[in-house]
Amino acid sequence: MLIDSMYPKSFASDNHAGVHPDIMEAIAAANHGDAPAYGDDRWTSDFQDKIKEVFGPGAEGFAVFNGAGANMVGLALMLGRYDAIICPDSAHIATHEAGAAERLLGVKLITVPTEQGKLRPADIRSRLGGIGNPHVSQPTVVSISQATELGTCYSPEEIADLAEAAHAAGLRLHVDGARLANAAAYFDCELRTITTEVGVDVFSFGGTKNGALAAEAVVVLDPSLTDAVPFLRRQSLQLASKMRFVSAQLSALLTDDLWRRNATHANQMAMRLADGIMDVPGVSLAQPVQSNAVFAALPPAITEALRRRYLFHPWDEAATVVRWMTAFDTTPEHVDDFLDDIRKAAASV
């Protein structure tokens, strides 16, 4: 479905949002004169300094193009040819990356049914029975999404418990941080509070869903893994020749807490939407609202009526659950107009 002037604000994805003006300004500022390619430029150096400032002096950051690429590079650092990844069955790497982990990394995904999209330490331990058995892919990495694919967030304590369980079994912990900023905004904590300080080994820091044009980062906290990143990034087609334009976006997000301001606003707009549907007959929340995602259960007739005018995605058609996403540029007026149309659609069925 194409979006054009006939549609109001999209609630389908934060990927539908434009670019934050500060980030566009940073791109324009980098667009003067020549600069060395492939990251040998001052913008990339500034970005790497920002990573250490935000995540700690031991953190190493590597700019890439997109979230799936960030996941593949980050996971490849920790995996051998006969290894496996333990992850929730709703994980993005399992459901929305077209089998990239299996095809590109050649590993097995060991998926676990979860509540609210969140893995538990017991889930990790339940999948360790094949360790040492040559007939079984070897669990080597635990991968979680922050925020989860259901919009819920792991607390610092929950991540620390997962890291402890993974490390006790000789596994490493990876975090798909496409919406890491939204989780930190939800807990009103620093980014390092849910990464560096709780035992994460490798994670991605998402920019594109939080106001960037096309910018993600692979952040490595385990120093034994960093030497391989430049080679894996190149082999994975994630090394930008004009990297200054990618690095400039990430630096802008990490300057003066722009990441937090964007994510906090998006989260607040999701909560405004969630609060607004509480009194709508036939409409209810299907998941707690902890980030910029609202999962709502509603009759198919309401969904059909709304989709004639708005872009959003059905999530679980059997349960008649849809997903509504907000972004840094969603306004209260956008949300209120959408709520008015939800109430009108509910009244007409």
Side-chain angles (χ1 to χ4, degrees), residues 175-198:
V175 175
D176 175 348
R179 296 185 179 94
L180 189 72
N182 299 91
Y186 173 71
F187 290 112
D188 192 23
C189 69
E190 299 301 322
L191 289 166
R192 70 170 67 193
T193 305
I194 52 174
T195 52
T196 313
E197 296 176 0
V198 288

Side-chain angles (χ1 to χ4, degrees), residues 69 72-79 105 225 227-239:
M72 293 308 103
V73 173
L75 289 166
L77 294 171
M78 300 177 282
L79 292 161
L105 305 182
L225 301 173
D227 288 348
V229 182
F231 304 98
L232 286 170
R233 179 171 57 172
R234 183 55 161 149
Q235 190 178 69
S236 302
L237 312 181
Q238 288 293 316
L239 179 65

Side-chain angles (χ1 to χ4, degrees), residues 96-147:
H96 284 83
E97 293 186 356
E102 294 96 333
R103 176 67 178 87
L104 300 179
L105 305 182
V107 300
K108 182 177 179 60
L109 297 182
I110 302 174
T111 59
V112 183
T114 61
E115 292 185 12
Q116 299 180 357
K118 297 168 74 171
L119 208 63
R120 308 294 182 185
D123 296 325
I124 297 174
R125 292 189 285 268
S126 74
R127 297 303 194 269
L128 301 178
I131 289 181
N133 183 344
H135 301 286
V136 179
S137 295
Q138 296 297 286
T140 303
V141 173
V142 174
S143 182
I144 62 173
S145 301
Q146 179 74 304

